[in-house]
Amino acid sequence: MSVSYFIPDLAPEDLHRCEEIVRRSRFIVSLAHTPTPEAAKSFIERIKQEFPDATHNCWAYAAGAPGQTSKVGYSDDGEPHGTAGRPMLQVLLHCGVGEITMVVTRWFGGVKLGTGGLVRAYQDSVRENMATLPLAEKVPTVELDVQLDYAHLDRLHRLLPTFEARVCAEAYDQAARVRICLPEALRGPFEEAIAGRTDGRARCTPVEEA
């Protein structure tokens, strides 16, 4: 079975937004689907340019799969250290949704919230936005170049449905070369299966390494 996860069901230029007032401070929460750190940073700059007069534009992103910490970032943007960006990131890492960026824009309303109040305000604003976020399911995929003898072509094609794979391209020379796309989680089992069906003669190479 392929491994999938949820992502925001938003087009690249779309955003999901909500607004609230907390003790006279105005909070606008903007969320986007960002599959890479570069996309996350671009969205953050977009919101900063939209609200240049705000007291703070605090942000956090988790650009990988849910819970993955290798593609994350955050900023308090002038709020007391540890009261905005990191608390926001903690919500994102535990929300079960991947490839997501959140910017919380605040205009100070004259009433200080205190350290604990700020943490609650930023985390609650993120959770409120997430509560109405439309979601889509994503299955991470990988492309493989499979080189094999012509005699083994039929065996390859019979394996494809089992591994949710499809043919992207084909080339025929001294050997057959078939480019397939399949769920990333099934790559290892597929390579074992095709090796077993071809006496180890088939060669599988990820497209980025081909």
Side-chain angles (χ1 to χ4, degrees):
M1 181 178 294
S2 57
V3 176
S4 62
Y5 58 84
F6 287 111
I7 60 174
D9 189 12
L10 299 171
E13 295 304 315
D14 288 347
L15 57 80
H16 185 63
R17 177 169 282 172
C18 68
E19 181 175 345
E20 62 179 340
I21 303 296
V22 180
R23 299 184 66 185
R24 292 166 49 185
S25 280
R26 181 189 180 197
F27 290 80
I28 291 181
V29 190
S30 306
L31 180 153
H33 172 218
T34 52
T36 65
E38 291 74 22
K41 293 169 185 175
S42 177
F43 176 69
I44 292 163
E45 287 305 313
R46 170 185 163 188
I47 300 303
K48 286 182 176 180
Q49 291 176 18
E50 182 179 358
F51 301 120
D53 63 328
T55 314
H56 308 281
N57 280 294
C58 304
W59 52 265
Y61 69 82
Q68 186 182 76
T69 59
S70 61
K71 299 178 182 179
V72 302
Y74 62 89
S75 171
D76 295 317
D77 192 37
E79 291 281 30
H81 178 68
T83 61
R86 181 176 286 277
M88 290 167 59
L89 178 62
Q90 290 305 310
V91 176
L92 295 187
L93 289 175
H94 294 92
C95 70
V97 181
E99 303 181 5
I100 191 168
T101 297
M102 192 84 72
V103 182
V104 179
T105 304
R106 180 193 181 199
W107 287 266
F108 180 55
V111 178
K112 293 184 177 182
L113 302 181
T115 300
L118 285 171
V119 171
R120 285 192 297 273
Y122 280 99
Q123 288 193 325
D124 287 349
S125 64
V126 170
R127 293 189 182 104
E128 180 179 345
N129 189 296
M130 294 290 301
T132 56
L133 176 66
L135 300 176
E137 189 176 20
K138 177 175 180 175
V139 179
T141 59
V142 63
E143 288 191 6
L144 296 177
D145 270 332
V146 184
Q147 188 169 322
L148 70 171
D149 296 337
Y150 285 101
H152 296 148
L153 262 179
D154 187 55
R155 299 177 189 180
L156 168 65
H157 284 283
R158 287 202 300 268
L159 279 177
L160 297 183
T162 302
F163 295 95
E164 304 174 31
R166 58 182 175 84
V167 174
C168 301
E170 298 175 273
Y172 300 103
D173 196 357
Q174 293 181 339
R177 188 172 178 177
V178 183
R179 178 172 294 186
I180 66 169
C181 179
L182 77 164
E184 191 174 53
L186 299 180
R187 173 186 168 185
F190 169 79
E191 291 180 341
E192 291 180 11
I194 193 63
R197 298 288 181 90
T198 62
D199 300 320
R201 300 179 67 178
R203 291 192 299 140
C204 299
T205 308
V207 169
E208 62 269 18
E209 299 175 13

